[in-house]
Amino acid sequence: MFAAAQLGALAACIVLFVPMGMAGWHLSRNKMLFFSGALFITLAVGVHIAPYFPAASQFLISTLTPSFSSSPPFRPSSCLSSMHDVSFLPADAPSSFDWLPIRSRSGDCGFQKLSRSDAGELLNGSWILVAGDSQARLFVLSLLRLLLDRSAMEAVEGDLFRRHSDYQIMISEHGVKLDFVWSPFESNITSVLQKLRGGPRLPEVLVAGSGLWHMLHVNNASDYGENMASVRRSAASMVSPFSSELAMQPPHMFWLGLPTLLNSMLNTEEKKEKMSKTVWDAYEQEVDGSGVLRPSGGSFVLLDIGSLSRSCGLQCTTDGMHYEGVVYEAALQVMLNALLIESQQQI
């Protein structure tokens, strides 16, 4: 009986460890995917071999049982709600930002600005897809400025800002593939998500955002809300069980919120009429009501450009709509810290 149990344990180890070891070798090229996969593999192995080792069973049960006396995890998920609490300096002409002192209910958040090497390590081997309007393009600019040196930036910036066009680049130093898909309307973003669902691979990081074009050219908050609900449904189809059936990790998804609009600085009368504070508030309510964001059961973590641009103020914009790079740099660092929190990593 004991020999049979040993034989069974040996067979289980072979069946589990060999394919998982091979998968781990491939996953190790992508740090975010590796940590997610490692967590899954650890739990799977523990569940399968625990019956053969009573002491291990007790340890597994005690580990999975909540304990109020245990030390808090590194940067707990409750920190996500505080990531946009930043100040821009100097006040008269902001060129940098820093987080306000924050402690979550379960531990020290300890947000940090990731350097080029840190970001390259975190994103190594990743495919990053950004879909949206001019706000999304400015976000891509901040990402490229972080990952590339100045000489490389001079070579790519002109291509990135070709009017109403897509853009793609492979950053070989970090093994990062970056795609920007011009998607000014929510229906464009829905199409991007649907194409991804039918493709051979999903991006590791997906950033999307729109609303300004709809506000100007359609100017109907209810219609915007319906389109956002369509985005929510398409995004939901990219998470399990669909992705697990194809052995693909669902992407980390982020939504670029609408910027604060300074009506008096908008450069046309049409914009001043159609993009008022009242209309902006109505569009924000539709985003909240659409269920696209995490707090309401959606797939996207909010990158709150509205809050960040409002904190930066009128010194940070010349047209009341598009802001200085420091605002999008802050949004980028918020995203990178969110990735660290979700994967429970330290840099």
Side-chain angles (χ1 to χ4, degrees):
M1 179 68 120
F2 180 69
Q6 287 183 316
L7 184 61
L10 177 62
C13 288
I14 293 173
V15 171
L16 282 168
F17 284 120
V18 172
M20 287 183 179
M22 295 174 65
W25 181 81
H26 291 287
L27 289 175
S28 63
R29 294 196 68 243
N30 183 303
K31 193 171 184 183
M32 288 182 297
L33 196 58
F34 174 76
F35 274 86
S36 299
L39 178 61
F40 170 78
I41 291 171
T42 302
L43 290 174
V45 170
V47 168
H48 280 79
I49 70 172
Y52 298 101
F53 304 94
S57 299
Q58 289 297 323
F59 174 76
L60 186 62
I61 292 171
S62 64
T63 301
L64 296 177
T65 302
S67 174
F68 294 103
S69 62
S70 61
S71 58
F74 170 71
R75 277 191 288 190
S77 59
S78 58
C79 289
L80 288 172
S81 62
S82 305
M83 288 191 302
H84 297 91
D85 295 341
V86 306
S87 60
F88 291 91
L89 302 167
D92 57 338
S95 59
S96 65
F97 78 96
D98 205 351
W99 279 278
L100 301 174
I102 298 166
R103 282 190 64 87
S104 75
R105 293 181 179 179
S106 53
D108 190 355
C109 291
F111 300 131
Q112 58 184 314
K113 292 183 184 179
L114 272 67
S115 65
R116 177 173 298 147
S117 60
D118 291 338
E121 180 183 352
L122 176 65
L123 301 173
N124 181 47
S126 297
W127 175 22
I128 303 171
L129 176 63
V130 182
D133 53 18
S134 55
Q135 300 290 317
R137 199 185 296 270
L138 289 169
F139 180 84
V140 170
L141 177 63
S142 289
L143 178 56
L144 288 174
R145 283 176 172 169
L146 179 61
L147 293 178
L148 299 176
D149 59 33
R150 183 170 298 180
S151 61
M153 274 303 303
E154 292 175 356
V156 305
E157 197 163 342
D159 291 335
L160 174 62
F161 280 92
R162 287 180 180 172
R163 186 175 175 82
H164 301 169
S165 63
D166 297 345
Y167 175 80
Q168 60 181 12
I169 185 174
M170 183 70 193
I171 305 174
S172 56
E173 179 183 356
H174 306 296
V176 173
K177 177 186 178 184
L178 173 60
D179 281 297
F180 170 73
V181 182
W182 171 246
S183 306
F185 290 102
E186 302 65 49
S187 57
N188 302 134
I189 294 176
T190 297
S191 296
V192 169
L193 297 176
Q194 290 173 345
K195 288 179 182 178
L196 286 174
R197 190 181 187 280
R201 179 187 174 187
L202 295 176
E204 279 70 45
V205 179
L206 172 66
V207 182
S210 65
L212 293 177
W213 275 56
H214 192 285
M215 192 182 298
L216 180 61
H217 298 291
V218 180
N219 203 242
N220 185 318
S222 297
D223 182 75
Y224 178 69
E226 293 175 5
N227 290 336
M228 287 297 296
S230 179
V231 171
R232 174 185 57 77
R233 289 190 293 271
S234 296
S237 70
M238 295 173 63
V239 301
S240 56
F242 157 72
S243 55
S244 62
E245 292 172 359
L246 298 183
M248 289 191 289
Q249 283 283 114
H252 298 273
M253 290 187 255
F254 298 89
W255 184 260
L256 287 167
L258 292 169
T260 295
L261 300 176
L262 302 179
N263 193 266
S264 63
M265 300 181 70
L266 298 178
N267 54 22
T268 70
E269 291 302 317
E270 182 184 18
K271 289 179 180 178
K272 291 179 180 179
E273 177 185 350
K274 292 183 176 180
M275 307 178 85
S276 66
K277 179 64 163 60
T278 301
V279 174
W280 188 91
D281 287 339
Y283 271 62
E284 283 286 280
Q285 290 175 7
E286 291 297 335
V287 174
D288 294 338
S290 68
V292 74
L293 300 178
R294 285 271 189 92
S296 52
S299 305
F300 290 90
V301 173
L302 176 65
L303 299 178
D304 196 347
I305 302 296
S307 172
L308 295 172
S309 56
R310 187 162 48 252
S311 296
C312 204
L314 56 84
Q315 299 90 343
C316 294
T317 180
T318 58
D319 66 0
M321 179 185 300
H322 302 96
Y323 285 77
E324 296 294 331
V326 66
V327 171
Y328 305 97
E329 176 193 344
L332 172 62
Q333 291 290 345
V334 166
M335 184 192 81
L336 295 176
N337 275 266
L339 291 173
L340 287 173
I341 291 170
E342 292 196 334
S343 57
Q344 291 291 290
Q345 296 181 58
Q346 296 190 51
I347 292 291

